[in-house]
Amino acid sequence: MDRIIVTVSGILLIAAIYRFFFGKRETATEAGNALTVIVDGGYKPGIIRISKDKPARLTFLRRDPNPCLDEVVLPDYKIREYLPVGKPVTVILNPPHPVDAKIRCGMNMFHGKIITDE
Ligand SMILES: [Cu+2]
């Protein structure tokens, strides 16, 4: 019996480790026409999928007073916006969209990502 428990917990542990390193950490959230991104210890959702040929409207709502998150930068769109705490800020991303666009804070410490539909 003990041996079974050890074997089973061993297998579960290996599965957990495998998932940690190789599993998809976060799936993309479809933005549709508009999406609100919560800025709180990072960007939530962290991976946003937008339509290839359509403008996308992203509203950043900052809840985190950490000064690190004062600004949101979308370098691929040449956008840099100040985010007051609790006040939503909307940016419009116009096509052509880069395949993989970055979202980051002003100091390049927090990151998110925008990907496009094929
Ligand atoms: Cu920062």
Side-chain angles (χ1 to χ4, degrees), residues 43 66-71 104-110:
Y43 302 103
N66 181 352
C68 186
L69 293 161
D70 276 354
E71 280 186 318
R104 61 175 180 82
C105 71
M107 291 157 250
N108 201 6
M109 286 154 79
F110 288 105

Side-chain angles (χ1 to χ4, degrees), residues 70-100:
D70 276 354
E71 280 186 318
V72 64
V73 185
L74 289 88
D76 307 274
Y77 291 97
K78 299 186 167 51
I79 290 174
R80 177 182 284 264
E81 289 286 341
Y82 179 74
L83 302 178
V85 177
K87 190 171 172 280
V89 174
T90 300
V91 298
I92 296 172
L93 311 178
N94 289 306
H97 298 294
V99 178
D100 226 347

